[in-house]
Amino acid sequence: MGFKRGVFSCCFCVVFAVFLLNSCFLVIGGDIVHQDNVAPHRPGCNNNFVLVKVPTWVNGNEVTQFVGLGARFGPTLESKEKRANQTRLAFADPPDCCSMPRNKLTGEAILVHRGNCSFTTKAKVAEAAGASAIIIINNQTELFKMVCDPGESDVDIGIPAVMLPQDAGTSLIEFLRNSSTVSVQMYSPKRPTVDVAEVFLWLMSVVTILCASYWSAWSAREAAIEQDKFLKDGSDDYGGKEVTHSGGVLDINTTSALLFVVVASCFLIMLYKLMSFWFIEVLVVLFCIGGVEGLQTCLVTVLS
Ligand SMILES: *[C@@H]1O[C@H](CO)[C@@H](O)[C@H](O)[C@H]1NC(C)=O
Ligand SMILES: *[C@@H]1O[C@H](CO)[C@@H](O)[C@H](O)[C@H]1NC(C)=O
Ligand SMILES: *[C@@H]1O[C@H](CO)[C@@H](O)[C@H](O)[C@H]1NC(C)=O
Ligand SMILES: *[C@@H]1O[C@H](CO)[C@@H](O)[C@H](O)[C@H]1NC(C)=O
């Protein structure tokens, strides 16, 4: 009986691990749309922070694809790669794009450095200079959320703005130095309503649960048959009773396993809908407690 419970706890432990992994995947998957309430929302400045893919062509050949982050301001980007225009890229002169660039622009995307003035100032200057989009290179390897300044009252920017990490910017500048034409495309793919990876992980946990309950049911039946054989010599009545008792144990195990699947699925859906930071923290703590407890039972079973 103690052994059976131990085995079942072990399986629970595995499932907890799977769900912890699942929540990790959700956190990563949730990276596509950042929705923070700290940055001010105003008309013309209320875009979601979306991930932007920037495929790059050098002399007509596609060489690489960078990943950047959209800004709070400006028009939203095309979501389909096919519909996004391929535009030539030009490096701003001066590179900070805080004053009117000296180079002539005719609808190119302009590449600028971060710093010296606000993001919206850069975008306004670039738009006035005739750029069709602005790509701002961060001064760090991470991405940065471009928001409007608290003091700005009327933000009306007509070109999309994208932030790229420092290494991507360095590569682009090198491409521009080395070759005659560099062009880019910008689009932000929509997040699928149901993630394939999530469905797969969910199936994995359900299969684990089913295997666990089948396994414990099977071992319980084995034990019951053993006991039955052993007790046949003594008293028939007693043996019969024991078998029905084991059946009761099986039922409870299967029901609780099914219940666990249902509850865990509801939890996952809640996690998906309520993608909030504290909820994930609470879940991680709960999973840790569950995992440690399961591990302890696991070790006790294995060692005894
Ligand atoms: C692509 O270019 C065409 C023609 O220049 C323009 O009308 C259209 O708005 C552009 N599309 C996007 C998504 O920028
Ligand atoms: C900011 O302005 C200073 C002085 O004009 C210049 O030296 C510096 O390179 C600029 N910073 C960036 C990031 O362009
Ligand atoms: C990056 O630029 C911002 C804005 O100019 C500045 O506040 C920050 O210190 C810079 N960070 C680094 C690592 O240079
Ligand atoms: C640019 O040219 C230099 C020297 O010609 C070369 O070392 C470097 O690898 C080139 N970079 C790219 C991205 O082609």
Side-chain angles (χ1 to χ4, degrees):
M1 200 48 200
F3 179 72
K4 254 187 293 168
R5 201 177 296 153
V7 167
F8 203 60
S9 301
C10 271
C11 300
F12 261 23
C13 182
V14 169
V15 170
F16 267 127
V18 167
F19 272 98
L20 185 60
L21 224 129
N22 213 336
S23 48
C24 287
F25 267 87
L26 273 175
V27 173
I28 295 163
D31 249 351
I32 295 194
V33 176
H34 295 265
Q35 192 50 276
D36 71 333
N37 300 317
V38 182
H41 274 269
R42 259 174 279 126
C45 196
N46 54 5
N47 293 346
N48 287 334
F49 292 112
V50 291
L51 280 195
V52 179
K53 297 205 170 174
V54 187
T56 305
W57 285 261
V58 173
N59 294 332
N61 303 312
E62 186 170 355
V63 283
T64 183
Q65 176 171 284
F66 301 111
V67 177
L69 191 66
R72 267 272 192 267
F73 50 86
T76 51
L77 282 157
E78 195 57 59
S79 64
K80 290 271 187 301
E81 183 175 7
K82 272 180 292 190
R83 285 210 297 265
N85 284 342
Q86 194 174 319
T87 46
R88 281 191 62 167
L89 188 69
F91 191 46
D93 172 31
D96 59 14
C97 198
C98 290
S99 52
M100 201 46 105
R102 281 188 280 272
N103 36 351
K104 283 269 161 292
L105 296 174
T106 48
E108 285 97 338
I110 191 167
L111 189 66
V112 310
H113 276 303
R114 181 185 168 189
N116 282 356
C117 59
S118 69
F119 295 122
T120 44
T121 307
K122 288 175 199 285
K124 274 178 197 152
V125 168
E127 189 183 0
S132 66
I134 181 168
I135 298 177
I136 299 168
I137 306 169
N138 200 4
N139 53 6
Q140 294 156 17
T141 45
E142 296 89 37
L143 289 167
F144 186 84
K145 290 176 178 171
M146 294 190 286
V147 296
C148 306
D149 274 346
E152 284 168 313
S153 55
D154 214 3
V155 187
D156 181 20
I157 287 160
I159 58 170
V162 175
M163 165 134 303
L164 283 184
Q166 196 171 37
D167 51 346
T170 313
S171 310
L172 280 177
I173 291 170
E174 202 168 315
F175 290 151
L176 281 168
R177 281 213 189 101
N178 273 16
S179 38
S180 51
T181 59
V182 178
S183 42
V184 292
Q185 217 180 25
M186 279 173 268
Y187 67 100
S188 71
K190 282 220 163 60
R191 186 181 179 182
T193 37
V194 178
D195 209 319
V196 179
E198 256 161 61
V199 172
F200 181 73
L201 279 169
W202 183 81
L203 276 178
M204 231 165 79
S205 26
V206 169
V207 167
T208 316
I209 278 279
L210 287 183
C211 287
S213 49
Y214 268 115
W215 185 31
S216 61
W218 180 75
S219 53
R221 223 186 65 188
E222 288 284 291
I225 288 169
E226 284 280 301
Q227 208 161 23
D228 203 21
K229 259 190 207 155
F230 183 72
L231 291 170
K232 267 266 160 65
D233 307 329
S235 141
D236 276 0
D237 287 355
Y238 195 63
K241 224 186 233 167
E242 195 59 39
V243 170
T244 45
H245 178 66
S246 293
V249 171
L250 295 191
D251 279 351
I252 288 164
N253 273 354
T254 319
T255 319
S256 63
L258 278 177
L259 240 153
F260 185 75
V261 170
V262 170
V263 168
S265 303
C266 289
F267 233 63
L268 262 184
I269 290 167
M270 256 167 78
L271 183 63
Y272 198 84
K273 295 280 173 219
L274 305 169
M275 271 297 290
S276 70
F277 189 68
W278 65 266
F279 192 68
I280 290 165
E281 295 276 281
V282 166
L283 271 188
V284 167
V285 168
L286 279 181
F287 282 140
C288 284
I289 293 170
V292 167
E293 216 153 84
L295 202 70
Q296 191 195 359
T297 334
C298 224
L299 284 177
V300 167
T301 315
V302 169
L303 293 179
S304 63

